[in-house]
Amino acid sequence: MFGAPPRRGVDPEVRRRRRRIGLIITAVVLVVLLAVPGGYVWWALTAPLSAPVVSIHEPPVTVPAAAPVALPSTGASAIAVAGGDEYLGAVASGIWATSGTGEPRSIASITKLITALVILDRHPLADTADPGPTITFSKADHDLYDQYYVRGATIAAMPTGSSMSLHDALATMLIPSASNYAEAVSTWAFGSQWAFLGATQRWLAANGLTGTTIVEPTGLDARNTSSPADLIALGKLAAANPVIASIAATSTLTLAGPGRMVNTNGLLGTNGITGLKTGNLGDGTYNLLFTASVPVGTPQPLAVTRVMLGGLTRANVDHDVMTLINSIRAGFHEVPVATRDQQVGTITTPWGSSAQIVVADYVTIFTWSDTPIVVEMTTTTPTTYTDGEAVGSITWTAGPNTVTAPIEIEGAIVPPTDSWRLTHPEELGREQ
């Protein structure tokens, strides 16, 4: 019987070597199979991320409409405003606004301001407490009372032989606008009306009031004329003279002789009005040269000088004055430029975390009318991307004023989840 040939035996050493090689190959394969995904996981969980995207925009600012300055529709007027050049412009303290035409018009009793200033130029008083020289009234002075009475002018008693200080005589001339005192005191000061008028012409020329004509000291003559521009200059001269300014600001005064006197300027003490002089020659010729100290929110009140010529009635003039001052005051305002937590930017990430950039405070800026408001924003790169982190500031400028508010992060940027990292390899490794 035939059988299978006998197999040769395998060298045990060879068999062991083959087994070791097989095990090594198997181990390498297993290592490779396990290491590849493990390495990816490690890389995905530790790879750098792109920086969050920060987007910023300046907040819009709404500038108010231009403030209307209420000027009269009749007659002529001019106004100067000192103390507000930074808001109103460099010309404001000269002549800021006008209405009507600029030619000379009758000024009526505003003339008495010129008369008083010319007298004080010849006989100056040291201060408001200085009574000055004593004036004794003659029979000729007393006769002026009747002469002006029949002309329908305002008068005050000056009995023959009575006396009064120069200060009180000027007050009687200006406060109730007594015409007999204007002529009597100007004659006393210069010796005659001819000499007074000569001195007046020289005084007008010396002060550049070339648009003004004075032919007598009271204003009853319609030929006493002046331009709105000249009267603004006159108002500043009168306000700068402490004696005239003090008298013009006096509402009532009682003196021996004239008795109780009431200022013809019924607006004194109203809406900041501090002077100066009224005048009229009948309907359609009502005039007022006034000064006012008007608080508007600036460090110091505005110093307003204004003249109105040719008003229909005293009531019309007074109404126009109040309307004008109110319109100036209303033109100064706090303009809101940002609200608290107003969004001015965003922070976004590819993994969906986001936050806002907001203004940290409610902000307003003080300005005049429709003054342009300039916005400037400065920013810094966030470091922590956490709620409340400051990332810059916004500055608003309008005229002389500047306000600044910080901007900060509202919310926080949180890191991505592990699952997002493992499933978004294209977003990894982009650190900027």
Side-chain angles (χ1 to χ4, degrees):
M1 183 175 181
F2 297 98
R7 290 188 302 172
R8 289 183 180 178
V10 178
D11 188 343
E13 182 61 31
V14 173
R15 195 164 34 245
R16 284 194 296 271
R17 187 166 53 250
R18 288 176 179 172
R19 187 180 297 115
R20 283 198 301 269
I21 291 172
L23 290 172
I24 291 171
I25 293 172
T26 301
V28 169
V29 170
L30 289 174
V31 167
V32 170
L33 291 176
L34 293 174
V36 168
Y40 169 76
V41 170
W42 176 86
W43 172 82
L45 296 180
T46 60
L49 297 166
S50 300
V53 177
V54 178
S55 176
I56 298 285
H57 62 269
E58 292 180 351
V61 174
T62 301
V63 177
V69 178
L71 298 173
S73 58
T74 59
S77 72
I79 180 172
V81 182
D85 285 6
E86 292 176 312
Y87 296 91
L88 306 177
V91 300
S93 55
I95 293 183
W96 182 46
T98 62
S99 66
T101 57
E103 75 270 7
R105 296 174 179 244
S106 294
I107 60 174
S109 284
I110 293 176
T111 298
K112 295 183 176 76
L113 270 183
I114 297 174
T115 300
L117 287 165
V118 172
I119 291 170
L120 286 173
D121 192 54
R122 173 63 65 90
H123 300 280
L125 301 183
D127 52 38
T128 58
D130 181 8
T134 298
I135 303 172
T136 299
F137 298 114
S138 65
K139 175 64 166 60
D141 295 328
H142 173 68
D143 290 343
L144 293 173
Y145 184 94
D146 293 332
Q147 294 173 27
Y148 281 102
Y149 174 79
V150 298
R151 296 176 66 181
T154 300
I155 50 180
M158 51 167 58
T160 301
S162 62
S163 60
M164 183 181 288
S165 70
L166 173 59
H167 179 280
D168 288 350
L170 292 173
T172 306
M173 178 177 72
L174 292 174
I175 293 174
S177 200
S179 291
N180 56 330
Y181 271 75
E183 181 172 339
V185 179
S186 59
T187 300
W188 166 86
F190 293 94
S192 68
Q193 281 299 294
W194 178 84
F196 162 72
L197 291 175
T200 299
Q201 299 312 311
R202 292 190 294 275
W203 185 88
L204 291 171
N207 287 283
L209 303 180
T210 57
T212 301
T213 300
I214 299 297
V215 300
E216 52 85 33
T218 70
L220 288 176
D221 194 315
R223 292 176 297 168
N224 280 5
T225 60
S226 187
S227 66
D230 269 18
L231 289 169
I232 291 294
L234 174 64
K236 293 177 181 179
L237 289 169
N241 185 298
V243 175
I244 298 297
S246 174
I247 291 172
T250 303
S251 297
T252 62
L253 181 66
T254 300
L255 297 172
R260 185 176 186 271
M261 300 175 288
V262 177
N263 201 308
T264 57
N265 184 3
L267 296 180
L268 278 178
T270 303
N271 236 356
I273 293 177
T274 56
L276 286 162
K277 191 71 187 73
T278 63
N280 79 88
L281 295 175
D283 291 346
T285 66
Y286 281 85
N287 308 321
L288 177 63
L289 175 59
F290 75 88
T291 52
S293 179
V294 182
V296 294
T298 51
Q300 298 296 325
L302 300 181
V304 174
T305 305
R306 189 192 187 190
V307 64
M308 298 181 64
L309 300 173
L312 297 178
T313 66
R314 175 62 56 207
N316 290 143
V317 171
D318 290 352
H319 176 268
D320 287 343
V321 169
M322 293 294 101
T323 302
L324 170 76
I325 293 176
N326 289 336
S327 72
I328 294 174
R329 184 181 288 111
F332 286 88
H333 43 212
E334 292 282 350
V335 178
V337 291
T339 59
R340 184 173 179 84
D341 296 332
Q342 179 177 345
Q343 182 179 340
V344 294
T346 58
I347 304 175
T348 57
T349 66
W351 58 92
S353 180
S354 64
Q356 294 184 345
I357 298 176
V358 299
V359 182
D361 296 315
Y362 173 76
V363 186
T364 65
I365 191 166
F366 181 76
T367 187
W368 157 256
S369 185
D370 58 345
T371 301
I373 301 174
V374 178
V375 185
E376 182 178 355
M377 180 181 292
T378 59
T379 59
T380 58
T381 301
T383 57
T384 64
Y385 294 93
T386 55
D387 189 64
E389 180 184 359
V391 291
S393 63
I394 307 177
T395 298
W396 295 266
T397 301
N401 296 324
T402 296
V403 293
T404 299
I407 55 176
E408 62 186 24
I409 295 175
E410 183 178 74
I413 298 299
V414 297
T417 64
D418 290 350
S419 62
W420 184 89
R421 279 179 167 274
L422 291 171
T423 56
H424 292 79
E426 72 280 3
E427 299 291 346
L428 304 178
R430 297 183 179 183
E431 185 176 21
Q432 298 175 351

